[in-house]
């Protein structure tokens, strides 16, 4: 089953000097696939992720999500679709620093209407999965970089996303931690059939 498909997508940033960031992109990601996109800085990787994440719109071309063209949806519809479809992992983690690890994973669920007790239960399970049960009650800023990224992965997977979008997820991590994060992503992909799109340089 195809999760997302881009057909002939272009993205042009307007301005005094136009930037043609994406040109004729055709991309299909199927359920359970793990796709890596690499390219030098400035190649358009983040632009591509922003388009896929419904944070930005293509200048031309079609974006099919579950076979429906979503390129013309309004912002409300896009926001809803975004939180129901994707998990996100960022280079700089984007955790709430003073909140507990458990809250960081549970809060997104609560925003989506899951009652707190159930959100906490799902968050505990996700944290166990990424090997962080013992850090559950720590504040996020008490963790190492690798641990922070595991929290972000738990937060991404707790929503049961069809696709996880990761923009240079190991960009701030040392070599050994990078390997363990990639192993975790591969395990998740294989065991839970979650599709991943990883961007790395
Ligand atoms: P990457 O993530 O591969 O480093 P980006 O997608 O961030 O590349 O950028 C691709 C090109 O688009 C670059 O030339 C960049 O300067 C340009 N660009 C990115 N975002 C914007 C924006 N909001 N406005 C204008 N130009 C942009
Ligand atoms: Mg980038």
């Amino acid at each position: 089953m195809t999760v997302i498909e881009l057909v002939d997508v272009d993205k042009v940033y307007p301005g005094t000097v136009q930037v043609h960031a994406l040109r004729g992109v055709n991309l299909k990601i199927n359920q359970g696939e793990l796709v890596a996109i690499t390219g030098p800085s400035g190649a358009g990787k983040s632009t591509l992720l922003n388009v896929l994440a419904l944070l930005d719109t293509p200048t031309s071309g079609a974006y099919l999500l579950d076979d429906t063209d979503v390129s013309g949806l309004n912002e409300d519809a896009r926001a809803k679709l975004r939180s129901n479809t994707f998990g996100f992992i960022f280079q700089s983690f984007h955790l709430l620093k003073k909140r507990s690890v458990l809250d960081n994973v549970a809060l997104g669920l609560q925003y989506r209407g899951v009652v707190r007790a159930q959100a906490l239960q799902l968050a505990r399970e996700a944290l166990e999965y990424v090997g962080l049960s013992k850090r559950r009650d720590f504040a996020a800023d008490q963790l190492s970089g690798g641990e922070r990224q595991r929290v972000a992965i738990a937060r991404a997977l707790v929503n049961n996303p069809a696709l996880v979008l990761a923009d240079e997820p190991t960009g701030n991590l040392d070599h050994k931690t990078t390997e363990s994060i990639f192993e975790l992503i591969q395990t998740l992909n294989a065991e839970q059939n979650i599709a991943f799109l990883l961007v790395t340089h």
Side-chain angles (χ1 to χ4, degrees):
M1 200 183 85
T2 302
V3 180
I4 57 163
E5 184 171 6
L6 297 181
V7 184
D8 283 335
V9 162
D10 276 41
K11 178 67 188 179
V12 180
Y13 292 110
T16 34
V17 182
Q18 281 195 353
V19 179
H20 209 136
L22 301 177
R23 201 186 293 268
V25 176
N26 290 285
L27 173 71
K28 202 188 245 190
I29 300 180
N30 294 316
Q31 190 182 355
E33 261 192 311
L34 196 161
V35 177
I37 292 187
T38 64
S41 182
K45 304 182 297 297
S46 293
T47 301
L48 178 64
L49 274 193
N50 287 341
V51 167
L52 289 175
L54 298 163
L55 293 164
D56 206 348
T57 45
T59 309
S60 62
Y63 177 6
L64 307 177
L65 192 66
D66 278 336
D67 294 325
T68 305
D69 191 348
V70 295
S71 39
L73 293 179
N74 68 27
E75 183 45 42
D76 277 359
R78 286 142 55 89
K80 193 160 179 202
L81 206 50
R82 186 183 308 135
S83 74
N84 287 331
T85 310
F86 302 116
F88 294 96
I89 306 172
F90 304 96
Q91 179 175 357
S92 49
F93 320 127
H94 289 290
L95 300 179
L96 301 166
K97 294 192 182 68
K98 299 296 174 193
R99 301 299 291 260
S100 70
V101 164
L102 189 61
D103 269 348
N104 266 282
V105 179
L107 283 174
L109 286 169
Q110 289 181 247
Y111 292 140
R112 297 173 73 225
V114 178
V115 294
R116 180 148 174 92
Q118 197 191 349
L120 291 176
Q121 182 54 33
L122 291 169
R124 282 190 202 101
E125 286 168 20
L127 286 166
E128 183 166 1
Y129 195 86
V130 302
L132 275 185
S133 287
K134 280 193 276 189
R135 295 282 182 270
R136 213 154 64 187
D137 299 320
F138 282 48
D141 65 0
Q142 293 176 297
L143 303 182
S144 71
E147 288 171 334
R148 284 178 209 209
Q149 201 55 301
R150 283 174 188 270
V151 177
I153 291 171
R155 181 187 54 190
L157 82 99
V158 80
N159 286 324
N160 199 18
L163 174 68
V164 173
L165 298 169
D167 196 357
E168 309 202 15
T170 59
N172 282 333
L173 304 175
D174 62 50
H175 178 70
K176 200 161 154 259
T177 312
T178 293
E179 282 189 352
S180 77
I181 291 294
F182 277 136
E183 268 172 35
L184 175 60
I185 286 173
Q186 280 171 325
T187 305
L188 260 170
N189 171 251
E191 289 183 359
Q192 305 214 1
N193 207 31
I194 298 173
F196 277 83
L197 178 67
L198 299 177
V199 157
T200 59
H201 52 229

